[in-house]
Amino acid sequence: MKSGVRALGVAESYAPDAEASTLAGVVYRGDHVVDGCVFGRCTVGGTDVTESVATLWDRLEREDVPYVLVAGIALAWYNVLDPVELADRIERPVVAVTFEESDGLEDALAAAFEGEALADRLARYEALSERHATSIDGHDLYYRTGGIDAAAAAELLETFVAEGGRPEPLRVARLVARAADDFARPSRDRSPGN
């Protein structure tokens, strides 16, 4: 892939008692240049993350960004992202990346929800695209795709890993999301000008 290829990395951050999670989108080039930033929100424990990321994409207004990477599949306390639906909505390939092996979310969802809320989340989770794995510089990455095949997605991820096994668009987006979320929260220690 060309070194100037761009991807929007999307990550989130929220406090334990928050009702909304801060989404940060960072445009990152393959030659390791940050080229834009956008913010959004999704509901903690909700079902709106796919639409929230699509809205974030729309607000970015960057036709020159051909790929979207998302940090995780179950953001904001099991708000399940659908990469296929997102890719269809924004007309861009989407790769949702996690960094740990997993037996699945069924047990965690059953512990967190019940009734209709559980049934809805299980249906969303079970409808997701297949989970794939790749290893980059000795680090395992797991991913689901929308609008891109598994081999092309693995190549894309490799393009954006500088060190430590995390794609830079996601690493930087996570830092930005945490900083924005921290700044947006009221703080006893923060005074005007600080």
Side-chain angles (χ1 to χ4, degrees):
M1 253 175 231
K2 295 179 181 177
S3 63
V5 69
R6 291 170 174 84
L8 176 68
V10 179
E12 53 107 22
S13 179
Y14 64 96
D17 59 347
E19 293 181 7
S21 181
T22 299
L23 296 171
V26 172
V27 177
Y28 196 93
R29 291 191 338 211
D31 58 358
H32 308 296
V33 173
V34 173
D35 192 23
C37 193
V38 64
F39 295 97
R41 292 209 177 267
C42 68
T43 307
V44 174
T47 58
D48 62 346
V49 72
T50 301
E51 182 58 32
S52 295
V53 175
T55 300
L56 183 138
W57 168 263
D58 291 343
R59 289 182 50 238
L60 182 65
E61 296 183 345
R62 290 286 300 267
E63 291 300 316
D64 62 324
V65 178
Y67 302 102
V68 175
L69 306 179
V70 183
I73 204 73
L75 291 79
W77 199 60
Y78 305 115
N79 197 332
V80 178
L81 176 92
D82 185 336
V84 173
E85 181 182 333
L86 179 59
D88 289 346
R89 166 74 167 69
I90 66 173
E91 299 179 342
R92 294 290 187 280
V94 174
V95 183
V97 184
T98 58
F99 305 97
E100 296 176 10
E101 195 167 358
S102 169
D103 291 329
L105 293 180
E106 292 89 350
D107 290 344
L109 289 170
F113 300 96
E114 57 186 30
E116 230 176 270
L118 173 60
D120 179 49
R121 282 159 183 82
L122 283 173
R124 289 172 187 266
Y125 178 67
E126 290 166 0
L128 293 177
S129 57
E130 182 182 352
R131 189 174 198 229
H132 304 279
T134 190
S135 183
I136 301 172
D137 295 334
H139 298 275
D140 294 332
L141 283 80
Y142 303 90
Y143 60 98
R144 295 178 194 260
T145 65
I148 186 171
D149 67 42
E155 182 181 343
L156 178 67
L157 294 174
E158 189 166 358
T159 297
F160 286 107
V161 171
E163 62 180 44
R166 291 192 184 250
E168 287 296 297
L170 298 181
R171 188 186 68 79
V172 175
R174 184 175 181 191
L175 291 171
V176 171
R178 283 181 175 172
D181 189 56
D182 181 56
F183 184 77
R185 271 184 266 139
S187 171
R188 292 175 294 192
D189 300 328
R190 190 178 298 127
S191 61
N194 287 339

